[in-house]
Amino acid sequence: RYWNSLSNLVASLLNSVRSIASLLLLLFLFIIIFSLLGMQLFGGKFNFDEMQTRRSTFDNFPQSLLTVFQILTGEDWNSVMYDGIMAYGGPSFPGMLVCIYFIILFICGNYILLNVFLAIAVDNLADAESLTSAQKEEEEEKERKKLARTASPEKKQEMEKTAVEEETKEEKIELKSITADGESPPATKINVDDYQPNENEEKSPYPTTEAPAEEDEEEPEMPVGPRPRPMSELHLKEKAVPMPDASAFFIFSPNNRFRVHCHRIVNDNIFTNLILFFILLSSISLAAEDPVRHLSFRNQILGNADYVFTSIFTLEIILKMTAYGAFLHKGSFCRNYFNILDLLVVSVSLISFGIQSSAINVVKILRVLRVLRPLRAINRAKGLKHVVQCVFVAIRTIGNIVIVTTLLQFMFACIGVQLFKGKLYSCTDSSKQTEAECRGYYITYKDGEVSQPMIQPRSWENSKFDFDNVLTAMMALFTVSTFEGWPELLYRSIDSHMEDVGPIYNHRVEISIFFIIYIIIIAFFMMNIFVGFVIVTFQEQGEQEYKNCELDKNQRQCVEYALKARPLRRYIPKNQYQYKVWYVVNSTYFEYLMFVLILLNTICLAMQHYGQSCMFKEAMNILNMLFTGLFTVEMVLKLIAFKPK
């Protein structure tokens, strides 16, 4: 109630019950239809191997429902399909037709129907985030009003001035770039009018008489999708991080020649690329070490290379500390988290040189973290900036979803403890039902062969995942939510009888409702909430740079389209013979002819199989050469019509 973002998330989830109920009704009808169809196709036919008891069958309606639901989760569905193929005679003509049933069920159910949960999750999270942002804006407005009431007249004038300045700043688009050292330089402000296409790219849309239209230029890329490309993708020249005004190590002033030279070196692209190259080499050397023979010749060579790499990285840190200072003033080296990571990694490497213990040398693996440094150049790559921002924002704010999911997990775990505590024990000898009877030895047969008897001791064992307490129940339910091996726990729970008593086959089939409800709520819906949250966060980060822009999405898209629009060009040759070839190649009949040839070639390729006769193989080779010749003729005709350029 008092945690606004959490309460908004829960409220949006509760408001989506109507949509979820409609989807569940559709899902239930889908499962019933395929269950009834499975009973007609496979009812009583999974008994081809009498030595093995199969639980995923279609022998009755409840069992058919469970089998179809298991196929929807994707867990071990291929084994059920293989049993269906074997029920109709194996991988031959009639048996392979069974695959159609399972493929349609898996695609329509798993890929289409269950992904509607993801759509509902995205919709709910968007509502929750918009509600939270609206509440934050209301709180900020209240704070402004309180400050305005309590402020003196002079302060009110200052606040009005700052408000006017902020409004003028919002009229321009700010582009903040992350530089090589991870610092954010002053915002580079550009107007839309400044972004004009290059004059060299403008060409006449129609060919002139002096110069025929032989020079094909690539058509400009039109903005597609609901959101135009962000302005941060414009190729603007980035400036180096300015040198702080304070002195470095209390010795080098901002005007010191040596410090200026160090600043120029660390901001040079050649220096940055060279350091990244040595980071790659050091990572490869760590992977190439022999962990068994520490004194091998290879390790000695890599150890010497390690001294070189560490010396280079230490020199890099010294140069950067000289250029920006250590940590006392703003903009210094240690005021950035990436730089602290570099300093930590290099320090660990230096310390490891003086300690030869194998346990301490393990910390040298931290040096591999230096490969994260290319992330400082995220502002230079298209779209990477938004992806990284999305990841960090999602990690910071994903706690609400984790809390709700953990709460639901705890509730189901408590219910599971009440239903299954102490009931999942069994004896290795299935003829014994209690722990007191499960003593001594029993005879079993290897691979079901009566001629190979084996004597095994009886033991009273619990299930791999049990519900004896809340913690183990939460762990068991988490494995169920991942769909990994959950049918085994399901049937173990169905066979459960009483506490400290062995299982009875299909004793409580109705208990499967517990697992079905848990999978629908947790696995189908709540787990998709995580994916939906990343999608919503990515969309919000994409719109974040436009928060001060008065134009909406459609208006921005129209502006960008107007800036990038070019008239379409069509190449028409002047030569009459070339024009005839061009006319044939561009005709609809020619396209249809090539489409039919491609289709026939595909059919010929699909007809090849194992055990084909020599005559069939020779015919396929002739057809292959024929199609290759026809496609070569097509290529030659298009080269004549359009020319190589």
Side-chain angles (χ1 to χ4, degrees):
R1 181 176 301 175
Y2 300 103
W3 193 339
N4 289 332
S5 58
L6 181 61
S7 61
N8 292 335
L9 176 62
V10 176
S12 64
L13 294 178
L14 294 177
N15 291 333
S16 64
V17 171
R18 183 177 301 176
S19 301
I20 296 177
S22 303
L23 177 59
L24 289 179
L25 179 60
L26 179 61
L27 181 63
F28 184 65
L29 293 176
F30 180 83
I31 293 175
I32 288 178
I33 292 172
F34 274 89
S35 299
L36 295 175
L37 182 58
M39 290 174 61
Q40 298 296 323
L41 293 175
F42 309 108
K45 294 184 179 181
F46 280 12
N47 55 358
F48 46 86
D49 188 2
E50 297 180 355
M51 299 303 299
Q52 185 177 2
T53 303
R54 287 173 173 80
R55 303 301 298 265
S56 301
T57 62
F58 296 87
D59 294 344
N60 52 66
F61 185 66
Q63 184 59 54
S64 182
L65 287 175
L66 289 177
T67 304
V68 172
F69 190 78
Q70 174 188 339
I71 294 173
L72 287 181
T73 62
E75 173 57 26
D76 209 21
W77 73 276
N78 54 330
S79 298
V80 184
M81 183 181 67
Y82 295 151
D83 291 340
I85 293 174
M86 295 302 296
Y88 278 87
S92 56
F93 169 68
M96 293 304 294
L97 295 178
V98 174
C99 299
I100 300 175
Y101 168 82
F102 293 97
I103 292 174
I104 294 176
L105 171 59
F106 192 81
I107 291 177
C108 296
N110 200 323
Y111 290 160
I112 299 176
L113 200 57
L114 294 185
N115 281 328
V116 181
F117 283 98
L118 179 60
I120 296 176
V122 172
D123 189 25
N124 294 332
L125 285 172
D127 294 340
E129 291 297 323
S130 61
L131 184 60
T132 303
S133 60
Q135 289 180 351
K136 287 182 178 179
E137 290 178 359
E138 291 179 1
E139 292 177 358
E140 291 177 357
E141 188 66 24
K142 291 179 181 179
E143 291 293 333
R144 290 198 195 103
K145 290 180 179 179
K146 288 181 180 179
L147 292 175
R149 291 172 185 171
T150 57
S152 60
E154 296 179 357
K155 292 184 178 179
K156 286 183 180 180
Q157 293 179 359
E158 292 179 359
M159 291 172 63
E160 291 176 357
K161 290 181 180 179
T162 54
V164 172
E165 290 178 357
E166 288 179 357
E167 289 180 359
T168 55
K169 288 180 181 178
E170 289 176 357
E171 294 178 357
K172 295 183 178 181
I173 301 174
E174 294 187 357
L175 300 176
K176 294 185 178 181
S177 59
I178 300 177
T179 57
D181 287 289
E183 297 290 339
S184 297
T188 305
K189 300 176 181 178
I190 65 169
N191 293 323
V192 179
D193 297 334
D194 297 337
Y195 176 58
Q196 295 290 344
N198 192 356
E199 295 180 356
N200 297 328
E201 295 179 357
E202 294 183 357
K203 296 183 180 180
S204 177
Y206 303 103
T208 58
T209 54
E210 292 83 3
E214 296 181 356
E215 298 179 357
D216 291 343
E217 70 173 13
E218 295 182 358
E219 296 180 0
E221 182 182 355
M222 299 299 178
V224 294
R227 179 168 60 88
R229 293 184 303 174
M231 297 294 289
S232 59
E233 293 184 6
L234 302 179
H235 297 284
L236 301 176
K237 188 176 181 180
E238 298 180 4
K239 297 181 180 179
V241 182
M243 190 187 306
D245 294 334
S247 62
F249 300 112
F250 304 102
I251 301 175
F252 304 105
S253 63
N255 298 324
N256 185 275
R257 284 188 174 182
F258 178 71
R259 186 179 179 184
V260 172
H261 189 62
C262 292
H263 181 266
R264 189 181 298 112
I265 290 175
V266 297
N267 286 283
D268 190 82
N269 289 331
I270 298 176
F271 179 79
T272 303
N273 295 331
L274 188 63
I275 292 299
L276 292 179
F277 175 71
F278 282 115
I279 290 172
L280 178 62
L281 290 182
S282 64
S283 303
I284 295 174
S285 67
L286 285 174
E289 288 183 356
D290 190 351
V292 179
R293 295 174 295 176
H294 300 286
L295 301 178
S296 62
F297 179 72
R298 182 176 63 182
N299 281 5
Q300 292 179 2
I301 296 177
L302 294 176
N304 295 330
D306 199 11
Y307 288 108
V308 177
F309 295 142
T310 304
S311 302
I312 294 174
F313 298 148
T314 305
L315 178 62
E316 175 202 8
I317 289 179
I318 293 174
L319 290 175
K320 287 190 174 182
M321 282 189 173
T322 305
Y324 297 105
F327 54 84
L328 291 179
H329 52 270
K330 185 178 180 180
S332 59
F333 180 82
C334 293
R335 294 293 182 95
N336 182 268
Y337 293 111
F338 283 101
N339 295 336
I340 293 176
L341 176 63
D342 287 344
L343 183 62
L344 175 64
V345 170
V346 175
S347 300
V348 169
S349 301
L350 292 173
I351 294 172
S352 64
F353 288 151
I355 304 174
Q356 299 299 325
S357 173
S358 59
I360 302 299
N361 281 337
V362 175
V363 298
K364 292 171 64 178
I365 299 176
L366 290 174
R367 293 175 55 199
V368 181
L369 295 176
R370 292 177 62 89
V371 299
L372 297 176
R373 292 183 56 186
L375 290 178
R376 295 180 300 176
I378 57 176
N379 208 33
R380 298 171 183 169
K382 292 182 179 180
L384 186 57
K385 175 183 177 181
H386 301 289
V387 174
V388 175
Q389 288 178 345
C390 168
V391 171
F392 283 108
V393 172
I395 291 175
R396 287 201 309 267
T397 56
I398 209 169
N400 295 333
I401 304 174
V402 174
I403 291 173
V404 175
T405 307
T406 305
L407 179 61
L408 292 173
Q409 191 94 351
F410 176 77
M411 292 168 56
F412 277 98
C414 293
I415 298 173
V417 170
Q418 300 298 321
L419 293 176
F420 308 112
K421 63 177 187 298
K423 298 180 181 180
L424 300 184
Y425 285 88
S426 63
C427 183
T428 53
D429 184 1
S430 58
S431 62
K432 306 301 179 182
Q433 288 293 316
T434 62
E435 185 177 4
E437 296 175 355
C438 189
R439 299 180 184 276
Y441 297 86
Y442 71 104
I443 299 176
T444 184
Y445 300 94
K446 184 178 180 181
D447 299 330
E449 296 290 337
V450 183
S451 59
Q452 298 181 355
M454 298 175 60
I455 299 177
Q456 298 287 343
R458 295 189 181 98
S459 61
W460 186 253
E461 297 178 351
N462 196 3
S463 175
K464 295 178 181 178
F465 295 99
D466 58 74
F467 294 85
D468 292 347
N469 55 69
V470 174
L471 294 179
T472 57
M474 292 182 70
M475 186 63 195
L477 289 176
F478 181 75
T479 59
V480 173
S481 66
T482 61
F483 300 146
E484 188 62 33
W486 77 272
E488 180 182 356
L489 183 59
L490 167 68
Y491 292 116
R492 193 75 178 259
S493 303
I494 289 176
D495 297 342
S496 62
H497 184 208
M498 294 187 299
E499 292 185 16
D500 299 326
V501 177
I504 299 176
Y505 185 80
N506 276 358
H507 180 68
R508 298 190 296 174
V509 181
E510 65 277 3
I511 210 68
S512 59
I513 299 175
F514 169 78
F515 290 93
I516 293 176
I517 295 175
Y518 172 80
I519 288 176
I520 290 175
I521 294 178
I522 300 296
F524 287 170
F525 186 68
M526 291 305 300
M527 291 302 174
N528 280 324
I529 288 287
F530 288 92
V531 182
F533 190 82
V534 174
I535 295 174
V536 172
T537 306
F538 187 85
Q539 293 174 347
E540 290 181 352
Q541 290 299 315
E543 294 297 324
Q544 193 70 23
E545 57 185 334
Y546 299 110
K547 64 180 180 180
N548 297 328
C549 184
E550 296 181 356
L551 303 179
D552 58 14
K553 289 183 181 179
N554 295 330
Q555 291 172 337
R556 293 197 304 266
Q557 191 171 2
C558 290
V559 170
E560 186 169 355
Y561 180 82
L563 293 174
K564 291 182 172 295
R566 298 285 189 280
L568 295 176
R569 296 184 57 186
R570 189 173 185 182
Y571 172 77
I572 301 177
K574 296 287 186 176
N575 188 288
Q576 58 177 349
Y577 300 105
Q578 185 183 1
Y579 177 80
K580 291 180 180 179
V581 178
W582 176 88
Y583 183 80
V584 172
V585 170
N586 281 279
S587 64
T588 306
Y589 298 104
F590 184 81
E591 294 295 331
Y592 286 155
L593 176 62
M594 298 312 303
F595 176 76
V596 172
L597 291 177
I598 293 172
L599 184 61
L600 293 176
N601 189 19
T602 305
I603 294 174
C604 291
L605 292 174
M607 290 175 62
Q608 299 186 17
H609 57 277
Y610 174 73
Q612 58 190 10
S613 62
C614 295
M615 185 180 297
F616 182 84
K617 184 178 180 180
E618 189 67 24
M620 289 295 105
N621 290 335
I622 294 174
L623 288 175
N624 187 25
M625 289 186 289
L626 176 62
F627 286 121
T628 304
L630 292 174
F631 295 146
T632 305
V633 172
E634 178 200 12
M635 180 187 67
V636 172
L637 289 177
K638 287 188 175 181
L639 286 175
I640 295 174
F642 298 104
K643 292 190 175 182
K645 284 188 177 182

